[in-house]
Amino acid sequence: MPLRLLVRLLTLEAIRALLRNKIRSGLAILGIMVAVATVILVIALGHAGVAAAEAELDKLGDNLVWVEAGSRNAAGVRSGNHGMNTLTAQDAQAIRDEVPLIALVSEQVDGNLQVIGAERNWQTRFRGVSPAYLTIKKWEIAEGAFFTQDQVDHGDRVIVIGDTVRRQLFGDAPAVGEQIRAQNVWFAIVGVLAPKGVSASGQDQDDTTMLPWTTARTRLLGKDIGWLDDILCSAVAPESIPHAGRQIADLLRDRHHIQPGADDDFNIRHPEELLKARIKSSSTLQLLFLIIASISMIVGGIGVMNVMLASVAQRTVEIGIRGAIGAKPSAIRVQFLAEAVMLTSIGGLLGLALAGLGVPVVESNLGWHLILPTAVCIGSVVAAIGLGIVFGYYPASRAARLDPIEALRKD
């Protein structure tokens, strides 16, 4: 077949044929367009979901093992750990000394706090912690420095504030070196935390303050308070987290004289494992949605085949005339195959455009940053063209096999 004729069949003749039945062609194109856009957006959403979970995993902490006061009930629900005297500073020290799989330990007491500056005040939360907390939770300091272990030992009145607290109390002015008051106690600001943003649950992580746990316990909670709300630990390696948790549980059960078969009076959580499970489930869900979207592409391909079969039936006489004047079956096959490919090509390109238009809509509703991978976009359009070839081949072959004489008799 001459190249000039082939190009004409693939372009001009295919477009003319499709324009003869605009509604039918438009519906077939619409099906392919929606299917391609769905595939692209599903893959982009899956990548964004995994990226969001991995970002939360990075913010969560360094191989975090979280020991909470109080146990979970049979339904897995906790009524809260505040006020429960089941964890002590001696427990935290015992974990440091006797659990070799734990690299860092930080005591923690926390609660709500109103801080008062020179001109403004702000309701926030406080965390009484040790210096190891900064490393365990992967916090960074934007201004000044974190308090030292010596300041913890002496219960110094020093405080480190989050970025939200800094902006609410001081605006854009420097905060390090300033004094703030909380519960009639003056604290010196020694540092400002680097911003962490909003957590997966929607909580502003920068709306916080940190001070030595000894200071928080005596100055904010009361001198008679002798327990901790939590003990935050960092395992030596990710694979050590489960075994480290079991070692801590055995140690605390022994220290708290808990009899065999009795419930723990503490709770050990591995949030990192939960987020890894979330990443895995996100990938599984992405695969499921991708299969569903792929099925929609196949349905769209079937729609194209139906359109082409109807076109062959409608144009039987035209096919007979072409055969009668010398058109080869291969030319007729290429003509109808080109029409199917033109349908899916247009649908694929419009689907790519629709996916691009859908990105800001999805981002505004989910708050995720979506990126349409170039390989996925190109692959989806190529897959759409492939559908045109696969599902257009049978109608094209059927048209090519028509006997010219029999076709002309149907006039």
Side-chain angles (χ1 to χ4, degrees), residues 30 58 85 106 119 132-133 142 186 189 200 214 223 227 229 258 280 294 306 325 341 350 359 376 384 391 394:
L30 180 64
D58 186 61
N85 57 355
S106 173
E119 299 178 354
Y133 182 89
W186 287 96
I189 300 175
T214 51
K223 294 182 179 180
W227 57 79
D229 293 320
I258 299 174
K280 184 177 180 180
S294 300
N306 289 334
I325 62 176
V341 171
L350 290 177
V359 167
V376 173
F391 286 94
Y394 172 71

Side-chain angles (χ1 to χ4, degrees), residues 361-405:
V361 177
V362 175
E363 287 182 339
S364 63
N365 283 278
L366 293 181
W368 291 349
H369 177 56
L370 259 64
I371 297 177
L372 302 183
T374 303
V376 173
C377 294
I378 295 175
S380 298
V381 175
V382 171
I385 295 173
L387 283 176
I389 296 173
V390 171
F391 286 94
Y393 186 80
Y394 172 71
S397 296
R398 186 172 178 177
R401 288 196 302 267
L402 284 176
D403 182 79
I405 298 175

Side-chain angles (χ1 to χ4, degrees), residues 1-7 9 328 330-332 334-335:
M1 183 184 300
L3 179 61
R4 183 177 178 181
L5 176 59
L6 180 62
V7 172
L9 289 175
K328 295 182 178 179
S330 60
I332 296 173
V334 169
Q335 177 187 355

Side-chain angles (χ1 to χ4, degrees), residues 173-230:
V176 176
E178 298 292 333
Q179 298 272 332
I180 58 174
R181 183 164 55 91
Q183 295 187 9
N184 295 320
V185 179
W186 287 96
F187 293 90
I189 300 175
V190 295
V192 177
L193 296 166
K196 261 197 175 184
V198 179
S199 68
S201 61
Q203 183 180 7
D204 182 4
Q205 298 180 93
D206 302 318
D207 190 5
T208 187
T209 60
M210 298 179 192
L211 63 158
W213 66 270
T214 51
T215 308
R217 197 166 68 171
T218 57
R219 300 283 184 174
L220 301 181
L221 297 176
K223 294 182 179 180
D224 295 332
I225 301 297
W227 57 79
L228 304 173
D229 293 320
D230 310 277

Side-chain angles (χ1 to χ4, degrees), residues 271-346:
E272 185 166 324
E273 297 299 321
L274 296 178
L275 277 177
K276 286 181 178 177
R278 177 177 151 191
I279 292 173
K280 184 177 180 180
S281 64
S282 295
S283 300
T284 304
L285 196 61
Q286 178 190 6
L287 179 61
L288 175 62
F289 285 152
L290 185 58
I291 292 172
I292 295 173
S294 300
I295 292 174
S296 71
M297 287 194 71
I298 294 174
V299 171
I302 294 173
V304 169
M305 183 171 67
N306 289 334
V307 168
M308 295 310 302
L309 286 172
S311 179
V312 170
Q314 186 179 7
R315 296 159 60 188
T316 301
V317 175
E318 175 192 333
I319 296 169
I321 294 173
R322 285 179 179 270
I325 62 176
K328 295 182 178 179
S330 60
I332 296 173
R333 184 182 298 109
V334 169
Q335 177 187 355
F336 282 89
L337 196 59
E339 293 175 20
V341 171
M342 183 63 69
L343 275 175
T344 55
S345 298
I346 295 173

